[in-house]
Amino acid sequence: MKIGLIAPSGQILEAAPLARAIAYFERCGCKVVAPPAIRRTYQRFAGTDAQRVQALHAMAQRRDVDLIMAVRGGYGLTRLLPKIDYQLLAQSGKLFCGHSDFTALSLALYAKTKTVSLAGPTALFDFGAEPDNEHGLAAHGVSAFTEQHFWQLLRHRKDSVAFKSDTTARLGVRGRLWGSNLKMVTNAIGTPYLPKIRNGILFVEDVNEHPFRVERMLYQLLNSGLLARQSALVLGEFNGYKLWPNDNGYDFAQMVKHFRTVCPVPVVTGLPFGHVRDKVTLPIGATATLTQVGKVATLAFSL
């Protein structure tokens, strides 16, 4: 596997995680292409808009790269969307991988070219972490769960993950798997960068968003008619927020309970995906099946 690193959003804040990520991939037998462009700094970004677009295009044109991975998220890809050559990315034949802000590129790439990309790890957070037994990280600093599912999908072109939802249900649907960061999905509504998917399995996650903000974004999906065109809504991890005294019992669970009363499709919780160490790698735009028996849900998919 030949992995090319890009920084299309925020700047790299520390050199050590990058070095650890490169060392991890090299131990796995991968060749890593880490051009000087990923270390650029301009304001809060990894270079100017023009520089980041050029670096993305340049990586797509390299013949010595199979997988292109974002080093981190942050903010910045929204500014680049009108300037990206999506046909160039699609015709490169490469897989693109990342999450968080990277969702903007994954959605736009599928909307413009029907090209599948990966909602999955980023180099610094997922492969550049220091060892930490308290959080279940291995000696090389990588979550065993994340590692297993990442390589399973890349090597075998298929994977599945079973997880516990919060309610008992019986469900069986098949459709196009898509979504990722909730803010980026809602931001794409009304733009040419939102895929037009019917009967899809929409998965979403977010970080540092109070449940009422999550609910507000879910209502945007509902009121725009987007949810009515899906087969199921799958909620991943929503972490990093703090409840306030005036919430009076309104927490994430209560928010989900309420939203189920207005949502036109089944809502499944517990997907291990988001701004957390343990995350499954999910192919945006691929066909998937979602089943649930009792409280155990299973999502299966292939590239």
Side-chain angles (χ1 to χ4, degrees):
M1 176 69 67
K2 302 168 186 175
I3 300 175
L5 301 181
I6 56 171
S9 302
Q11 62 183 264
I12 293 177
L13 301 176
E14 298 178 61
L18 176 61
R20 286 193 292 265
I22 292 174
Y24 168 80
F25 285 124
E26 289 178 341
R27 286 195 302 270
C28 292
C30 300
K31 175 185 176 182
V32 181
V33 176
I38 64 175
R39 298 173 177 85
R40 287 187 180 128
T41 297
Y42 173 73
Q43 296 177 345
R44 64 178 293 114
F45 310 105
T48 65
D49 293 357
Q51 286 174 330
R52 287 179 286 127
V53 171
Q54 191 279 330
L56 173 62
H57 290 166
M59 188 63 75
Q61 291 174 306
R62 294 189 67 129
R63 295 183 177 180
D64 58 346
V65 168
D66 306 309
L67 173 74
I68 297 177
M69 177 179 287
V71 293
R72 58 159 296 186
Y75 167 71
L77 263 165
T78 299
R79 297 167 62 152
L80 309 185
L81 295 180
K83 306 168 186 176
I84 292 173
D85 186 340
Y86 297 100
Q87 292 300 325
L88 171 66
L89 303 191
Q91 291 169 7
S92 74
K94 295 171 174 47
L95 273 175
F96 295 81
C97 182
H99 71 282
S100 193
D101 195 59
F102 198 77
T103 303
L105 178 59
S106 291
L107 296 180
L109 184 59
Y110 191 79
K112 294 290 188 179
T113 69
K114 297 295 187 291
T115 297
V116 173
S117 60
L118 304 182
T122 55
L124 301 191
F125 182 83
D126 295 292
F127 297 110
E130 292 186 86
D132 183 352
N133 292 331
E134 181 182 350
H135 294 92
L137 301 186
H140 45 56
V142 181
S143 154
F145 181 93
T146 298
E147 186 177 36
Q148 172 191 340
H149 286 282
F150 176 72
W151 292 116
Q152 166 67 26
L153 185 59
L154 288 182
R155 290 168 177 163
H156 302 286
R157 315 293 289 184
K158 63 180 181 180
D159 194 15
S160 66
V161 60
F163 54 96
K164 188 176 181 180
S165 186
D166 65 334
T167 59
T168 299
R170 190 166 190 87
L171 176 66
V173 296
R174 180 179 176 84
R176 196 73 58 187
L177 183 65
W178 74 291
S180 199
N181 182 257
L182 178 58
K183 284 191 294 292
M184 305 314 298
V185 174
T186 55
N187 287 348
I189 293 175
T191 76
Y193 309 114
L194 181 74
K196 297 178 180 179
I197 294 178
R198 290 188 175 275
N199 304 316
I201 299 172
L202 174 62
F203 68 96
V204 292
E205 61 78 30
D206 222 315
V207 66
N208 298 330
E209 296 290 351
H210 188 284
F212 83 80
R213 295 193 182 101
V214 176
E215 179 181 307
R216 184 164 56 198
M217 288 186 279
L218 292 177
Y219 262 104
Q220 178 67 11
L221 301 184
L222 174 68
N223 294 334
S224 68
L226 188 151
L227 285 181
R229 298 191 293 271
Q230 307 308 309
S231 296
L233 172 65
V234 186
L235 302 183
E237 298 285 348
F238 288 82
N239 59 310
Y241 63 86
K242 293 183 179 180
L243 297 177
W244 301 338
N246 65 325
D247 285 320
N248 293 318
Y250 175 85
D251 56 14
F252 192 83
Q254 288 300 312
M255 182 277 293
V256 173
K257 181 179 180 180
H258 162 74
F259 194 72
R260 279 195 172 107
T261 67
V262 297
C263 187
V265 297
V267 179
V268 180
T269 63
L271 178 69
F273 179 78
H275 288 69
V276 289
R277 288 295 175 196
D278 291 350
K279 61 170 62 69
V280 65
T281 299
L282 303 168
I284 292 179
T287 300
T289 57
L290 174 67
T291 58
Q292 183 174 345
V293 179
K295 286 191 173 183
V296 178
T298 302
L299 182 63
F301 43 85
S302 60
L303 281 174

